[in-house]
Amino acid sequence: MRDSQSLLHTLEILLKPFPHEKKSGFKNQSCFGGFDKFVREWGEKLLLCNLKSHQYEWIKKIIDKVSFYSQWSIDERAEFVQESEDILLKLREEVFLETPVQYLKGVGPRLAEKLARLSILNMRDLLYHFPRKYEDRSQLENIGSLKKGETVTIKGKVLLIGEERTRKGKKLLKAIVGDGTGKITMIWFSYRGIKKLLPLGKDIVFTGRVEEFSGRCMIHPEFEVVEENNPHLNVGRVIPLYPSTQDITQRLLRKLIFQSIEEYIPFLYDPLPEFIRKKHTLPQVSEAMREIHFPSSYPSLKKARLRFAWEEMFLFQLGLFLKRGRFERDRGRVLKGEVREILSDILPFSLTPSQEEVVKEIEKDLNSGKRMYRLLQGEVGSGKTVVALAATLLALKNGAQAAIMAPTLILSEQHYFNFLRYLSPLGYEVVLLTGKEKGKQKEEIIGKIREGKADVVIGTHSLVEEEIKFSSLGLVVIDEQHKFGVMQRSALSFKDEFPHVLVMSATPIPRSLALALYGDMEISTLTEVPGGRGEVETFWIREEERERVYQFMREEVAQGRLIYYVVPRIEASGKSELESVEETFHRLRLVFPDIPIGILHGRLKKEEQKEIMEKFRKKEFHLLLSTTVIEVGVDVPEATLMVIEDAHNFGLAQLHQLRGRIGRGPYPSYCVLIGNPATEKGYKRLNTLLESRDGFLIAEEDLKLRGPGELLGSKQHGFSGFRIINLLRSANLIEKVRKEVRCYLEKRAIPVTLLKVIEERFPEWKEISLT
């Protein structure tokens, strides 16, 4: 702490002349001996303090630059003063707000441990621990008009207070409170220290639920004594309700956050540029921080939340644009030519109009000399693999290698056999690398990749391993991209000499979310499903009607068709009534003793999963009992029936993906949802699936029901900086922010301070590297 006090003292002295230098018109006369000499002298003293590496670099640059201050024009001096003051203010914020929370008065090591469970480690975490909702306790009611069951706020005086015993001998504390219109009893069963806080005859504000217990009463109400200097954090105002744990009360959180606001709010760094704040009438960060925690009114709360929504999206979009700028700065390899003619020669079917359009877009990207970074989204079975094949062909035609990464062994092997079928006759070598290869076999494949003998490399996340070196990687295709983490996608995208990147998703993404999360990409969408595929009908059956499903399953098997039977769990659990593989297998064996049943789930080794899928394809099993491991990319044209147990417990997008596993051949197909939903959300999920096959509509509904983190996978897209903004309802705001970010970057270089804020709020960008 002593080191930081010395640092802060030096920093405060160094900051003093900056406002004066601005006021004096940058004449280098704001200090005795000159502004430049003062900044150099105290900057060098600051370098002797305990600075972090990035802070040291910042101050070193200021010292180096200020040597030329006397030679610069007024405009150059103004720019330097603004930039340097910005750095010093950010440095001051870091020193203050990175103070461990245990040093806040009244916290200490034990409470700090409990706060850490809420991810509150320092003062910044505490200030940005925003309320999840609010409760209006500002309206005072007359005691005489209170009714049972109401939660109300009253103001009155304690007329009488004392301890009593119940019939069973338990102690309780009772206080009679009156306000001139009536009286009410306040009761506490656990009341240690409360009696001292309730002085007789003083105005006190109480909030609680009105009960009838030997007359009108409130049990364990919240209260605060009305005093001139009392900020009234718990009653008599709109109060914040925070994300919390069992051993940290709302009252304690309000007290700590209020205290941190009082002590640390002057040192907050405002990352929103002033011209943006003024243009969109957004409050400064210090004002917004007070209002979001302890609003003086609902309009001011709304303004504060809007300001922080702007801040979150501004920082995130800056990160996206910088990442995209990195792609655009890296000149992409020119991959000349067209491939549609070659495709028509090797494919046994014609491209759909949207496939044609997307292939043209990709050809244009690859011909441009700029690096392609494109998201391809489309319904399950819309033909994304064919588009990936087209991009791969163009890379191969130009002597470059292509890498295709899929999330599972089954899907990567499926891609391998598909690409092998089309590319091997053209003389290209396709290899598979999934992590299961050992010793000599693995060395041989890695050697082929390194020497350029392998033209197309297909595999799982093993492709991002350090030892995998490409000879001339021109294209990266990432399939089912939401199944990979940010780091895995990034690692492959930046292998070799900056390859072109095509990422594919069968989970349609609503427009607002696509803008927010993929604003750094060009987005293409496949809108049709290729011909030659059977229709899929969807039915919802209640659990007690299972017998009807069993009869239909027998009929499908009699016609030589294959059936998926999906359940949510692998093992039975006493804590859950959800169907499991274990229980369902025993039931299905009794119902279908003559039908071979295969079992597939995520705990099986990858080799076992592959073997089971192969047996299913060859009809060694007619019925495959599985968890959602089949959700991604499995292609079995003979499978015509999908039965999903406890369907209301799955996400909508997940159900849509599962349904997409059937209807991949020429036969009519059927998806049967079994479930007795007990909630409105459960009903809505099943009804939406019955009424629509539109993946985008389903994705919108799923986003409403579950939120963006769950829809896209919180681990993959868990951008921790989104605390306020509602991505589903913010398409217009996102558009506005994107325009401002674009203008901002066109007119100026991004300050190092803003880069640091982006890294603090969105640590994911730090890993990707923005500079």
Side-chain angles (χ1 to χ4, degrees):
M1 287 297 287
R2 194 174 296 164
D3 284 348
S4 63
Q5 283 169 0
S6 169
L7 194 160
L8 284 168
H9 175 69
T10 310
L11 190 53
E12 290 296 346
I13 291 173
L14 182 51
L15 270 165
K16 272 184 181 177
F18 279 82
H20 301 296
E21 184 65 14
K22 288 179 187 176
K23 201 172 181 180
S24 67
F26 309 100
K27 292 178 182 174
N28 201 15
Q29 295 171 358
S30 54
C31 309
F32 181 75
F35 173 77
D36 53 353
K37 184 184 173 186
F38 184 92
V39 169
R40 189 165 54 249
E41 182 185 329
W42 281 94
E44 283 168 355
K45 287 180 182 179
L46 196 57
L47 288 180
L48 299 175
C49 296
N50 189 20
L51 296 174
K52 293 181 178 177
S53 58
H54 73 274
Q55 294 168 344
Y56 187 93
E57 287 302 316
W58 288 354
I59 304 305
K60 186 79 171 64
K61 279 181 185 173
I62 290 175
I63 295 168
D64 292 344
K65 281 186 177 182
V66 81
S67 304
F68 303 97
Y69 191 76
S70 61
Q71 302 165 30
W72 288 337
S73 68
I74 295 298
D75 286 346
E76 287 170 324
R77 290 181 186 184
E79 188 180 328
F80 168 79
V81 169
Q82 186 58 55
E83 184 185 297
S84 301
E85 186 180 37
D86 199 50
I87 286 171
L88 295 175
L89 290 172
K90 178 71 182 98
L91 175 50
R92 186 177 69 171
E93 186 214 54
E94 287 181 12
V95 176
F96 273 105
L97 297 197
E98 287 172 15
T99 303
V101 74
Q102 76 176 67
Y103 294 114
L104 187 67
K105 188 181 175 184
V107 177
R110 286 182 66 186
L111 180 53
E113 274 182 38
K114 294 177 181 178
L115 289 167
R117 291 176 210 149
L118 290 168
S119 300
I120 298 172
L121 305 176
N122 56 36
M123 299 308 168
R124 182 184 289 113
D125 297 333
L126 192 57
L127 286 170
Y128 280 88
H129 189 72
F130 289 148
R132 58 185 170 82
K133 62 179 182 177
Y134 300 84
E135 193 174 286
D136 191 349
R137 298 181 181 176
S138 62
Q139 301 302 313
L140 298 176
E141 303 292 335
N142 292 327
I143 293 175
S145 63
L146 299 183
K147 292 175 184 172
K148 182 184 174 183
E150 293 178 326
T151 297
V152 296
T153 300
I154 61 153
K155 183 165 82 171
K157 290 180 170 65
V158 175
L159 308 174
L160 188 66
I161 187 166
E163 294 175 10
E164 292 186 13
R165 286 186 182 272
T166 65
R167 287 176 187 172
K168 292 184 178 179
K170 287 187 178 179
K171 280 186 176 183
L172 56 82
L173 180 70
K174 278 188 178 181
I176 309 297
V177 176
D179 68 350
T181 70
K183 293 175 187 173
I184 186 168
T185 305
M186 305 298 173
I187 300 172
W188 291 269
F189 293 100
S190 174
Y191 57 88
R192 189 177 171 187
I194 287 178
K195 191 175 180 181
K196 292 177 186 175
L197 302 174
L198 294 166
L200 291 170
K202 277 202 170 185
D203 279 335
I204 301 176
V205 179
F206 295 87
T207 293
R209 182 183 165 88
V210 181
E211 305 285 359
E212 285 287 341
F213 183 66
S214 302
R216 276 184 311 184
C217 65
M218 285 185 187
I219 297 171
H220 287 270
E222 288 207 56
F223 64 89
E224 277 185 343
V225 178
V226 177
E227 290 174 333
E228 206 171 304
N229 297 321
N230 187 348
H232 301 298
L233 305 181
N234 304 291
V235 293
R237 66 181 305 149
V238 176
I239 63 146
L241 296 171
Y242 295 100
S244 187
T245 58
Q246 223 171 2
D247 48 2
I248 298 179
T249 65
Q250 291 292 323
R251 196 179 187 97
L252 176 60
L253 271 175
R254 285 179 210 126
K255 178 190 164 190
L256 295 178
I257 289 170
F258 182 78
Q259 195 178 322
S260 67
I261 286 171
E262 291 299 292
E263 289 182 34
Y264 291 96
I265 211 169
F267 309 112
L268 277 173
Y269 174 81
D270 199 330
L272 264 186
E274 189 179 357
F275 76 91
I276 289 178
R277 287 202 315 269
K278 285 182 176 175
K279 182 177 175 182
H280 298 280
T281 58
L282 301 169
Q284 289 186 345
V285 67
S286 52
E287 181 191 340
M289 188 64 76
R290 280 186 189 280
E291 291 295 335
I292 202 164
H293 285 293
F294 299 103
S296 55
S297 65
Y298 275 112
S300 63
L301 171 60
K302 191 177 177 183
K303 270 190 174 182
R305 290 184 66 83
L306 177 62
R307 184 246 138 76
F308 283 113
W310 257 93
E311 184 178 305
E312 288 173 3
M313 193 44 63
F314 177 74
L315 295 170
F316 186 77
Q317 290 294 328
L318 264 181
L320 278 177
F321 273 97
L322 289 167
K323 185 173 159 228
R324 180 168 189 165
R326 185 177 170 196
F327 268 83
E328 290 177 349
R329 284 199 306 273
D330 305 329
R331 284 195 61 76
R333 182 171 177 173
V334 177
L335 302 177
K336 293 179 181 176
E338 294 183 356
V339 290
R340 277 161 286 158
E341 203 173 305
I342 304 173
L343 280 177
S344 64
D345 289 341
I346 64 172
L347 295 175
F349 50 82
S350 300
L351 298 182
T352 65
S354 60
Q355 281 176 324
E356 285 266 8
E357 190 58 40
V358 174
V359 170
K360 279 183 197 172
E361 289 170 353
I362 289 171
E363 286 173 344
K364 189 178 174 184
D365 287 349
L366 300 183
N367 276 262
S368 71
K370 284 186 178 177
R371 198 170 175 211
M372 177 177 78
Y373 193 38
R374 186 172 285 277
L375 168 68
L376 173 61
Q377 57 176 350
E379 289 284 2
V380 174
S382 59
K384 294 180 294 296
T385 305
V386 171
V387 174
L389 177 66
T392 302
L393 270 169
L394 197 47
L396 300 181
K397 269 184 70 179
N398 285 269
Q401 293 169 294
I404 292 116
M405 185 164 75
T408 65
L409 174 68
I410 292 170
L411 185 52
S412 58
E413 289 193 334
Q414 190 169 290
H415 281 321
Y416 171 70
F417 290 118
N418 278 331
F419 276 70
L420 192 67
R421 179 173 43 160
Y422 293 122
L423 298 179
S424 188
L426 300 178
Y428 296 114
E429 178 152 8
V430 183
V431 299
L432 181 66
L433 189 68
T434 61
K436 70 178 198 288
E437 302 81 7
K438 304 293 176 200
K440 214 169 183 180
Q441 184 194 11
K442 185 177 181 180
E443 281 176 31
E444 189 181 326
I445 293 170
I446 290 173
K448 282 184 175 181
I449 297 169
R450 189 174 52 247
E451 293 161 21
K453 291 177 182 174
D455 300 299
V456 180
V457 184
I458 296 173
T460 55
H461 58 272
S462 55
L463 294 187
V464 305
E465 288 173 7
E466 190 73 31
E467 61 185 320
I468 311 300
K469 307 285 183 192
F470 288 82
S471 166
S472 179
L473 183 61
L475 174 72
V476 166
V477 178
I478 301 169
D479 194 12
E480 295 297 340
Q481 57 82 32
H482 62 286
K483 296 286 179 181
F484 292 104
V486 172
M487 294 316 305
Q488 289 171 322
R489 296 198 301 270
S490 182
L492 190 56
S493 303
F494 286 98
K495 267 187 181 285
D496 201 59
E497 287 300 310
F498 306 121
H500 297 283
V501 178
L502 176 68
V503 299
M504 306 195 295
S505 174
T507 303
I509 301 160
R511 178 173 161 271
S512 59
L513 210 54
L515 273 175
L517 298 177
Y518 302 108
D520 57 328
M521 293 180 172
E522 298 297 334
I523 300 176
S524 297
T525 304
L526 295 176
T527 52
E528 310 103 346
V529 174
R533 299 197 172 192
E535 282 292 313
V536 178
E537 288 188 69
T538 306
F539 302 92
W540 170 15
I541 300 289
R542 299 187 72 81
E543 288 172 14
E544 52 271 25
E545 300 174 303
R546 269 201 198 94
E547 289 300 324
R548 290 169 57 196
V549 183
Y550 294 155
Q551 182 54 40
F552 187 56
M553 288 166 69
R554 283 193 177 282
E555 291 168 13
E556 286 295 291
V557 170
Q559 293 180 58
R561 308 284 184 256
L562 299 175
I563 300 169
Y564 292 111
Y565 203 104
V566 177
V567 294
R569 300 169 60 90
I570 297 174
E571 294 173 348
S573 166
K575 296 176 183 176
S576 172
E577 295 179 7
L578 296 179
E579 289 290 320
S580 68
V581 169
E582 207 175 67
E583 294 167 315
T584 309
F585 178 73
H586 292 305
R587 189 173 69 242
L588 293 177
R589 290 295 315 124
L590 293 171
V591 177
F592 305 112
D594 52 333
I595 295 176
I597 302 173
I599 293 179
L600 184 69
H601 55 73
R603 284 194 203 154
L604 295 173
K605 291 179 181 175
K606 302 297 181 190
E607 277 299 306
E608 291 176 283
Q609 290 183 26
K610 174 193 162 191
E611 192 181 324
I612 289 162
M613 280 309 302
E614 220 29 66
K615 285 182 176 178
F616 186 53
R617 276 195 191 92
K618 291 175 181 174
K619 297 191 177 180
E620 290 180 38
F621 306 127
H622 279 80
L623 175 54
L624 182 64
L625 175 60
S626 173
T627 57
T628 55
V629 74
I630 61 157
E631 176 191 351
V632 174
V634 178
D635 194 359
V636 183
E638 298 287 326
T640 58
L641 177 58
M642 168 72 67
V643 180
I644 305 172
E645 286 277 7
D646 292 310
H648 51 285
N649 283 297
F650 292 92
L652 254 178
Q654 195 172 38
L655 289 170
H656 184 59
Q657 286 277 308
L658 288 168
R659 179 167 63 179
R661 296 302 110 217
I662 56 174
R664 302 177 81 85
Y667 318 104
S669 297
Y670 311 92
C671 178
V672 179
L673 311 170
I674 300 178
N676 293 5
T679 65
E680 192 182 332
K681 279 188 179 180
Y683 273 102
K684 196 152 191 180
R685 278 193 193 108
L686 301 191
N687 277 322
T688 301
L689 214 68
L690 289 179
E691 291 166 7
S692 178
R693 283 193 52 78
D694 181 337
F696 287 94
L697 187 148
I698 287 168
E700 288 278 2
E701 281 301 316
D702 205 28
L703 191 58
K704 286 176 191 170
L705 291 170
R706 299 202 295 162
E710 283 191 63
L711 175 65
L712 292 167
S714 56
K715 287 183 183 175
Q716 288 75 20
H717 292 82
F719 288 110
S720 49
F722 290 141
R723 301 172 193 218
I724 295 294
I725 194 164
N726 182 319
L727 293 173
L728 179 62
R729 299 187 181 95
S730 302
N732 291 336
L733 174 62
I734 294 166
E735 287 276 22
K736 279 184 194 173
V737 176
R738 280 171 59 77
K739 282 178 188 170
E740 291 292 1
V741 168
R742 199 177 283 116
C743 292
Y744 181 83
L745 291 173
E746 280 170 6
K747 291 175 184 174
R748 62 187 60 75
I750 184 167
V752 290
T753 48
L754 215 42
L755 279 174
K756 193 72 185 75
V757 179
I758 295 168
E759 287 179 0
E760 287 165 358
R761 302 288 180 81
F762 298 96
E764 304 81 5
W765 288 142
K766 183 179 180 183
E767 298 299 324
I768 292 168
S769 177
L770 296 174
T771 52

